[in-house]
Amino acid sequence: MIENKIKTLRKAAKVSTMQDPDKIWCVIAGNEDMVNTIAYEAILDKERVNILCREHITLRESFVTKKFDFIMLYGDTDKIRDLSLISKENGGAYLKIAPYYVQEESNLNLIVGPEDNIKKFLGDIEKSTVKASFLLEDKTTGFIESDVYITQWLPKFIRDVADPLFKMADVALSTVLISTDEEYIEKIKEIAKSNKIFVIRFKEIMKEE
């Protein structure tokens, strides 16, 4: 674990000393309204930035429903930086994926999910035989939408009181970029599925670019 962190710090230092690229990839995650704003700004300036994918995720755990959105972009560094500021101002999570990672790291995987689920996922990876490098991580400072759908069976006067309380539950979102060897891809997918988090293989996004 310590050795893995040292390698990650060395890679981060190498990336930071490289000249800023003209174009970069990024992922922004958070609540639906924030991601709608990012998508709108990207569409208005489509000559400088492309939307690679946009997903709306709904997770059900026990009686709790968690909803969040994320968007992947590729474009001019300055424009991406502007969009990242919008994300941060609105409590979103933001990862900048420099060309270095794409060129030097094999099998990049983007992991998105509620913070507690991500922690459990990373713990399960550490305990397994999977070899993976954790490259980048960020989490929301704002909270995603959550509610308890069992309240739909409660009497209306109780539901009117309970629903707002559940919707205000503090659920943060995390995004993590990892790299691994091809032989571990299916195992990572399996662990991700058991922890109810979303995984995107960066190679698949590159094909669509």
Side-chain angles (χ1 to χ4, degrees):
M1 180 66 175
I2 295 176
E3 182 181 355
N4 189 39
K5 288 184 177 179
I6 291 173
K7 289 180 180 178
T8 300
L9 289 173
R10 286 175 178 168
K11 289 172 185 175
K14 186 172 181 180
V15 172
S16 66
T17 58
M18 296 174 67
Q19 184 178 3
D20 285 344
D22 293 331
K23 292 189 175 184
I24 57 173
W25 294 264
C26 81
V27 59
I28 294 174
N31 62 57
E32 183 177 5
D33 288 343
M34 185 275 293
V35 177
N36 282 342
T37 299
I38 296 295
Y40 176 74
E41 292 295 330
I43 291 169
L44 287 181
D45 208 353
K46 60 184 178 181
E47 298 301 319
R48 298 176 62 200
V49 62
N50 295 326
I51 298 175
L52 301 180
C53 71
R54 162 80 187 270
E55 295 287 344
H56 177 73
I57 308 298
T58 300
L59 298 177
R60 280 192 172 185
E61 297 177 326
S62 299
F63 296 109
V64 180
T65 300
K66 301 174 183 179
K67 300 176 182 179
F68 62 89
D69 284 46
F70 72 89
I71 190 169
M72 287 196 69
L73 306 166
Y74 177 73
D76 293 349
T77 301
D78 290 341
K79 182 61 180 181
I80 295 293
R81 186 180 295 115
D82 291 343
L83 296 177
S84 74
L85 292 175
I86 295 174
S87 171
K88 286 303 181 185
E89 288 171 358
N90 290 276
Y94 165 77
L95 293 182
K96 179 179 73 174
I97 305 171
Y100 168 83
Y101 291 115
V102 178
Q103 295 166 4
E104 300 295 328
E105 297 292 339
S106 61
N107 296 306
L108 290 175
N109 287 267
L110 178 69
I111 316 295
V112 184
E115 185 178 18
D116 289 343
N117 300 56
I118 293 289
K119 288 179 180 177
K120 179 65 165 52
F121 167 79
L122 296 179
D124 289 348
I125 290 289
E126 288 287 345
K127 291 184 290 185
S128 72
T129 57
V130 171
K131 293 181 181 179
S133 296
F134 308 121
L135 305 175
L136 300 170
E137 184 271 338
D138 194 23
K139 63 182 179 180
T140 56
T141 54
F143 300 113
I144 62 175
E145 181 183 347
S146 62
D147 58 57
V148 177
Y149 55 87
I150 194 174
T151 58
Q152 63 183 297
W153 292 295
L154 296 175
K156 185 178 185 304
F157 74 94
I158 297 178
R159 188 167 66 244
D160 289 344
V161 174
D163 275 348
L165 297 177
F166 287 126
K167 289 181 186 298
M168 291 172 61
D170 294 349
V171 179
L173 191 68
S174 288
T175 53
V176 180
L177 183 69
I178 68 173
S179 68
T180 188
D181 294 331
E182 184 71 30
E183 62 185 289
Y184 301 116
I185 293 295
E186 291 305 317
K187 184 63 177 177
I188 285 176
K189 288 182 179 178
E190 179 184 323
I191 296 174
K193 184 177 181 179
S194 68
N195 284 285
K196 296 185 177 180
I197 59 177
F198 198 84
V199 179
I200 297 178
R201 290 197 68 184
F202 206 81
K203 282 183 179 179
E204 298 303 317
I205 296 298
M206 294 287 287
K207 290 177 183 177
E208 298 174 8
E209 186 185 326

